Amino acid sequence: MEIAETNCSHKNHTQGDCIKSILPVKDALEVLSGKWKLPIIISLMFGNKRFSQIAKEIPGITDKMLSKELRDLEANCLVKRSVYDAIPVVVEYSLTDYGHTLKPVIEVLRVWGTTHRERIMGRVELAVQD
Amino acid sequence: MEIAETNCSHKNHTQGDCIKSILPVKDALEVLSGKWKLPIIISLMFGNKRFSQIAKEIPGITDKMLSKELRDLEANCLVKRSVYDAIPVVVEYSLTDYGHTLKPVIEVLRVWGTTHRERIMGRVELAVQD
DNA sequence: CAGTATCCGACTGGATACTG
DNA sequence: CAGTATCCAGTCGGATACTG
């Protein structure tokens, strides 16, 4: 079902229909929500990393937040945590195949966000309609 | 430039490159962030609406939040506010053409979110890789 | 009708210190 | 190395009341 066909106010659609079509979008946004999930996901898109490696690559993140967000992402099956029995212990994080399915989503957001930034910054002179 | 080509840790890419590729994604997410922007946008995708009409269609939203989010969306050129000189005053909100460009973005999020919800709910039995 | 003003609780995320 | 524990400030958003 397409968004455009899910009408909230027209004759033969209930508000329930509308809400149901919004819910999955919220689910998707939630996965990417917060200050750090996106940097972490993108960082892992380029290869498996260890905890401190990720921390180094994401300026400003604290151990606490990295730990918390990695746990969130793992709970959502987007990230895998592998413990290797060494001393001291080695933990490697990787995107699951499923995590990689986010790539087109992120790409769409990146493309839209790029033109949006240009527009808000006033660099695009196309008349803003009406 | 594709996300996949923007590497944070490899030889010929700087962290700056990586951050620059994340920024527009954050911009896009920010536009859709918060509890109510998405419902408002989707509501307006089906036609122009007046303030109280939107409020009626979005269960749970308060006047304060609706007012605030509409202002945000207007500042981002996604929503247009038209005042008609009547007594009492009539205000109509509509999505701009630009606002409608969000439709494919929302659609991608909706599709991904739908399968994600199924997966998290445990309805998909595809082995979660490794 | 179309909002604004005020108050307030809950949640997010930062700083710092500590642990197996 | 790979985290956890504690404390704390700022922000988000809800409830209620009020206005041109």
Side-chain angles (χ1 to χ4, degrees):
Chain A
M1 190 208 327
E2 270 209 338
I3 285 270
E5 295 165 359
T6 313
N7 195 317
C8 299
S9 57
H10 281 187
K11 42 217 177 291
N12 48 1
H13 289 90
T14 68
Q15 281 199 354
D17 286 342
C18 177
I19 289 168
K20 263 197 298 210
S21 95
I22 291 178
L23 263 179
V25 186
K26 299 192 106 162
D27 289 341
L29 285 177
E30 202 161 332
V31 163
L32 302 174
S33 76
K35 191 168 173 181
W36 303 110
K37 290 204 190 71
L38 206 49
I40 293 170
I41 291 169
I42 295 182
S43 164
L44 288 178
M45 276 189 173
F46 303 112
N48 307 352
K49 307 265 170 71
R50 292 168 63 178
F51 188 89
S52 40
Q53 232 178 324
I54 305 174
K56 241 183 305 173
E57 286 186 4
I58 303 179
I61 197 169
T62 60
D63 286 355
K64 171 189 159 186
M65 291 314 295
L66 180 52
S67 170
K68 175 188 173 296
E69 299 297 54
L70 282 171
R71 259 183 278 124
D72 279 9
L73 294 170
E74 204 191 346
N76 278 334
C77 306
L78 297 167
V79 162
K80 189 188 168 217
R81 181 178 184 270
S82 313
V83 182
Y84 297 103
D85 225 357
I87 299 173
V89 66
V90 169
V91 180
E92 191 183 71
Y93 291 92
S94 52
L95 271 197
T96 60
D97 285 348
Y98 184 50
H100 281 284
T101 66
L102 271 175
K103 200 186 152 196
V105 176
I106 292 174
E107 184 60 15
V108 168
L109 289 167
R110 196 186 61 75
V111 168
W112 193 89
T114 299
T115 70
H116 178 63
R117 169 160 285 234
E118 283 168 0
R119 178 177 286 253
I120 294 304
M121 298 305 191
R123 305 219 304 92
V124 175
E125 291 310 313
L126 305 169
V128 178
Q129 73 131 33
D130 47 34
Chain B
M1 189 208 328
E2 271 210 336
I3 285 268
E5 293 164 0
T6 313
N7 195 315
C8 298
S9 55
H10 282 187
K11 45 224 172 299
N12 48 1
H13 289 88
T14 68
Q15 282 200 351
D17 286 341
C18 177
I19 290 168
K20 262 196 300 209
S21 94
I22 291 178
L23 263 179
V25 187
K26 299 191 105 161
D27 290 341
L29 285 178
E30 204 161 330
V31 164
L32 302 174
S33 76
K35 192 168 171 180
W36 303 111
K37 291 203 189 70
L38 205 50
I40 293 170
I41 291 169
I42 295 183
S43 164
L44 288 177
M45 277 190 173
F46 303 111
N48 307 352
K49 307 264 169 72
R50 293 167 63 175
F51 188 87
S52 40
Q53 230 178 326
I54 305 174
K56 241 183 304 173
E57 287 186 2
I58 303 179
I61 196 169
T62 61
D63 287 356
K64 172 190 160 187
M65 290 315 295
L66 179 52
S67 170
K68 176 189 172 294
E69 299 298 54
L70 282 171
R71 258 183 278 124
D72 279 10
L73 293 169
E74 203 190 348
N76 278 334
C77 306
L78 297 168
V79 161
K80 189 190 169 212
R81 180 178 185 270
S82 313
V83 182
Y84 296 103
D85 227 357
I87 298 174
V89 66
V90 168
V91 180
E92 190 183 71
Y93 291 93
S94 52
L95 271 197
T96 60
D97 285 347
Y98 185 49
H100 281 284
T101 67
L102 270 176
K103 200 185 153 199
V105 177
I106 292 174
E107 184 60 15
V108 168
L109 288 168
R110 198 187 60 76
V111 169
W112 194 90
T114 299
T115 70
H116 179 63
R117 169 160 285 234
E118 283 169 359
R119 178 175 287 252
I120 294 304
M121 298 305 191
R123 305 221 304 93
V124 176
E125 290 310 312
L126 305 170
V128 179
Q129 75 130 34
D130 48 36

